[in-house]
Amino acid sequence: MHQNRTFSLLIFLLSFQIICAQKPQKPNSAEIYNQIQKLNFLGSVLYIAAHPDDENTKLISYLSIEKKARTAYLSLTRGDGGQNLIGPELREQLGVIRTQELLEARKIDGGQQLFSRANDFGFSKNPKETLEIWDKDKVLSDVVWAIRKFQPDVIINRFDHRTAGNTHGHHSASALLSVESFDLSNDASIYSDQLKYVKPWQVTRQFFNPSYWFYGSQERFDAADKSNFIKFQTGVYYTNLGKSNAEISALSRSSHQSQGFGSTGTRGEEVEYLEPINGKALSSNTDLFDGIDTSWNRVKNGKNIGDLITKIITSYDFTTPSKSIPNLIKAYEMVQSLEDSNWKKIKTEEIKECIINCAGLYLEAVANQPEVIPGQSVQITIEAINRTDAQINLASITTYPNQITTAQSKSLLNNRDLKFNTTITIPETAEFTEPYWLKEEGTLGMYIVNDQEKIGIPDIIRDNKVAFNLTFNGIAIKVERPIVYKYNHPSKGEMYQFLDIVPEVSTRFKENVVLFNNDYSKEIAVVVKSGKENLKGELKLELSKNWISSPQKFNFNLEKSGSEKTFYFKVTPPAKADEIFANSIVLIDGKKFNSEQTIIEYPHIAKQQILQPAVSKFIKLDIKTGSQKIGYIMGAGDAVPASLLQMGYDVTYVDPDEINASNIKSFDVIITGIRAYNTVNSLVNKQQLLFDFVKDGKTMIVQYNTPSLLPGVQLAPLPLSISNNRVTEEDAKITFLAPNHDVLNYPNKITEADFKGWKQEQGLYYPNKYDAAFTPILSSHDTGEQAVDGALLIAPYGKGHYVYTGLSFFRELPEGVSGAFRLMANLISLQNKDSNKDSKTDK
């Protein structure tokens, strides 16, 4: 057991893998062959669902690798409303993580990734609610935009539009919007403002991708009439890759680490089904492209290109891929003369990559520092090496975002590494590197993106790049590469990250929420980080009246870029209860800065910078707490322990492997984190010790778990069964079932007002069956539904109390919801009602 261990560091160590998401792709001969084969298939499929991890990766990899189809996944949301199994990030920060996990998945299964502006606001029980919160018209326009831009021949829905309400409301909504967009995308009068950038597009046909899950069981699915379904084998084995389709799919699926979707690959036959729901009738029950010309004949003057690529494929030399370069260059030239702008653009990029890979051409632009501010210069090392006898010349390079072209006229000779340095100056007007969809404050259900051309772009838009202007046998080809920063780590080797544009100064409060339990002042720590050398400025707090800070300001001087310094303000709250958002402000030469830089860095995804206003919620709260000593067992990532520390409790992180009857005696309360019994295997063998802890007169508080508990888990010392019951309406009316129970009265009087201001949901996965010894404390329900009573259950056990709660404390406490703090204090104080000395307000 370790006192107050930093959780993010712990998770990093536990989940560490030597992976670097930014490393350049270096395809082998078999992978290059597959890329060349793909040149001869002109068909596109768009798969549509609601969230990251909804996609059928077996189908995406099959369509992309086996069928050679251009395949994309449109996830309407970025998964912001889910839970996080690898760290404490929630909401927008979780959405950034899950976005990157989708991008890593697509690198594996060969698909592309698209999004809408819909914000995953959490679980929704029906599509009607979903579409009201999302702003249906805007999300529908985004689906139509994705179809017009991607131009799929086929759309596949993950979910069934005819069974609204039988699944997550977001799921049903994704299918309903997809079906509605089928004809709208070809109607020039619909969302006509998009037609400045795209053309109307008619999808040929649309399918629903059913599985046993939609039928309730495998047996029901096997017995269902599937006579009009398309059926095909996806369990193919790719001899030149040495993997089955299911093995590749499992690797893709395993990219969703924050959702805990690690998957084991399988081998052998596997069948996939598609049910036609829209469009052109089928004459074959095995081919979703039936009747669609997917050859070069679909493009005017394309037949000769197809013939040439067929020749390249049949004569491909696996030992010397460079032999394909002359004909690939011919194909590249022929494509440039096409009228069809869509396939011309697509195949130009595909052929370009094939040429580069056949040449073993390595192109890289490496900065001498990881970050740069607008107006600053940075040195870039350019590397180019041709590992074939192909005649390649580096005519010039163009650097971005300053858009300066420098002549080179250098021949790239076989295996002669060309390196040289250049310097670029970042324009003063350059935008910071950050997720574009977070630049403006959105609504509960929508992100704000006003630039039509940006909508749906999956990743951060990175303007720091270098264009290598090459000639292959005299034919000009432009290749862009992002500017990266790389270094050698003694144990992990070569490490990469993108060059980021950062503010010249950022600040952050060490605590996002600060509780003031009384009229006394508190020290508030604010960290200032420099983005450049010799940074001088002035730091102050912006507070509402009646809140006082001392001193009024700090003058600072940070000599090194990247250096940090912490300043402490003494803040005095007003006499009455109040809640404010405090801002930390830096003034430099009259210019005002208020950015907090959040870095998200996990081994399986690219490093991410998020910039948001530097604020902290200050709460003058009427709350009484005790002096209990708490042991906290982490489950999936949550920030509850930090909130408990804010309340003034002594908190120790408990390693389940180290639990024994002796060392847990020092605690008054043990709390398990969210989904602990879904994720922490060692808890299974510690349950009796924890039950004995309760029996001896202590309190155990178990936060929500899903019904899929670890095998062998007896969750409580008394019978208790978890269900899928939840209350998604955070403002649902609360009824007190046991108004005289200690938990609603001591040391804080809990009222309905304590449930005002809750975020996203009241709670989830409530028990529906439990022993008579449990007292249900609360009852509530979503609109039009029956009441559920399992939000908070308390049972005496021996001399102590066992508590199970599905209330979303993991969301409410970090958000600074006053009532959640007061109720948690009462839960922690269950054993101490008669001990006045344990209740205190001075923390």
Side-chain angles (χ1 to χ4, degrees), residues 122-170:
F123 190 85
S124 176
K125 291 182 177 178
N126 63 76
K128 181 177 183 294
E129 176 199 45
T130 297
L131 294 173
E132 288 173 352
I133 296 175
W134 272 356
D135 188 335
K136 177 190 172 182
D137 186 66
K138 285 187 172 66
V139 183
L140 180 61
S141 76
D142 290 354
V143 177
V144 170
W145 167 254
I147 293 170
R148 289 171 171 173
K149 192 174 180 182
F150 188 72
Q151 296 188 13
D153 300 300
V154 173
I155 287 177
I156 301 174
N157 297 336
R158 167 79 282 188
F159 299 103
D160 191 346
H161 65 289
R162 299 158 298 193
T163 56
N166 292 1
T167 181
H168 194 321
H170 298 182

Side-chain angles (χ1 to χ4, degrees), residues 46 48 70 72-74 76 114-116 139-152 155 185 194 198 201 452 455-456:
L46 182 62
I48 299 179
R70 179 171 166 260
Y73 173 43
L74 171 58
L76 296 191
L114 303 172
F115 291 100
S116 81
V139 183
L140 180 61
S141 76
D142 290 354
V143 177
V144 170
W145 167 254
I147 293 170
R148 289 171 171 173
K149 192 174 180 182
F150 188 72
Q151 296 188 13
I155 287 177
S185 59
Q194 297 179 0
V198 293
W201 179 257
Q452 180 66 54
I455 294 172

Side-chain angles (χ1 to χ4, degrees), residues 699-741:
T699 299
M700 183 177 181
I701 302 171
V702 177
Q703 297 181 80
Y704 97 88
N705 292 267
T706 68
S708 57
L709 298 172
L710 292 168
V713 168
Q714 180 187 344
L715 191 60
L718 301 164
L720 180 75
S721 296
I722 308 300
S723 74
N724 289 314
N725 290 341
R726 62 174 79 205
V727 178
T728 63
E729 296 173 14
E730 61 272 20
D731 57 354
K733 179 179 171 57
I734 288 283
T735 299
F736 294 147
L737 300 176
N740 296 322
H741 196 285

Side-chain angles (χ1 to χ4, degrees), residues 760-815:
Q760 185 164 319
E761 61 206 351
Q762 271 190 7
L764 58 171
Y765 297 110
Y766 294 171
N768 61 346
K769 297 178 181 179
Y770 40 86
D771 191 89
F774 280 103
T775 299
I777 306 298
L778 307 172
S779 178
S780 65
H781 61 88
D782 286 326
T783 302
E785 297 190 359
Q786 293 184 339
V788 289
D789 302 341
L792 178 59
L793 302 174
I794 301 175
Y797 183 69
K799 299 177 183 179
H801 289 89
Y802 177 92
V803 178
Y804 186 90
T805 180
L807 292 172
S808 58
F809 285 109
F810 74 103
R811 294 195 192 279
E812 313 313 323
L813 295 177
E815 289 282 351

Side-chain angles (χ1 to χ4, degrees), residues 473-655:
N473 296 335
I475 304 302
I477 295 179
K478 177 181 176 181
V479 180
E480 292 183 351
R481 291 289 184 260
I483 299 175
V484 298
Y485 171 73
K486 68 177 183 179
Y487 60 95
N488 185 70
H489 189 280
S491 62
K492 293 174 277 188
E494 188 176 55
M495 301 297 292
Y496 280 76
Q497 64 186 64
F498 293 111
L499 174 67
D500 287 340
I501 300 177
V502 303
E504 60 185 277
V505 64
S506 61
T507 69
R508 73 177 189 276
F509 289 91
K510 283 197 172 180
E511 303 291 346
N512 293 329
V513 175
V514 182
L515 295 184
F516 293 81
N517 297 8
N518 47 50
D519 296 335
Y520 297 152
S521 301
K522 276 196 171 185
E523 260 195 353
I524 304 300
V526 180
V527 180
V528 178
K529 180 181 178 182
S530 173
K532 67 176 186 179
E533 306 291 319
N534 298 316
L535 179 73
K536 296 180 180 180
E538 176 184 298
L539 173 69
K540 65 177 183 178
L541 298 184
E542 280 188 351
L543 304 173
S544 299
K545 68 176 183 177
N546 301 326
W547 291 78
I548 301 171
S549 72
S550 177
Q552 291 287 318
K553 63 180 181 179
F554 286 100
N555 293 315
F556 64 84
N557 184 2
L558 298 176
E559 294 183 359
K560 293 185 178 180
S561 175
S563 62
E564 295 184 349
K565 188 172 182 179
T566 303
F567 299 89
Y568 295 90
F569 291 90
K570 185 178 180 181
V571 173
T572 305
K576 295 182 179 180
D578 194 15
E579 294 184 5
I580 67 165
F581 287 98
N583 292 274
S584 64
I585 303 296
V586 170
L587 295 174
I588 300 175
D589 298 328
K591 190 176 179 181
K592 183 177 177 180
F593 295 86
N594 175 231
S595 287
E596 176 178 352
Q597 180 194 56
T598 299
I599 300 298
I600 296 178
E601 194 166 11
Y602 288 97
H604 68 299
I605 59 174
K607 176 184 173 184
Q608 303 291 295
Q609 171 181 256
I610 300 175
L611 299 173
Q612 293 175 311
V615 299
S616 178
K617 188 175 185 179
F618 289 1
I619 307 173
K620 172 64 186 303
L621 182 61
D622 176 18
I623 185 173
K624 298 181 177 67
T625 59
S627 57
Q628 292 86 0
K629 186 175 181 183
I630 298 172
Y632 200 95
I633 300 172
M634 292 301 303
D638 70 58
V640 170
S643 298
L644 297 174
L645 290 169
Q646 267 290 329
M647 296 169 73
Y649 290 111
D650 181 359
V651 182
T652 298
Y653 289 96
V654 176
D655 183 343

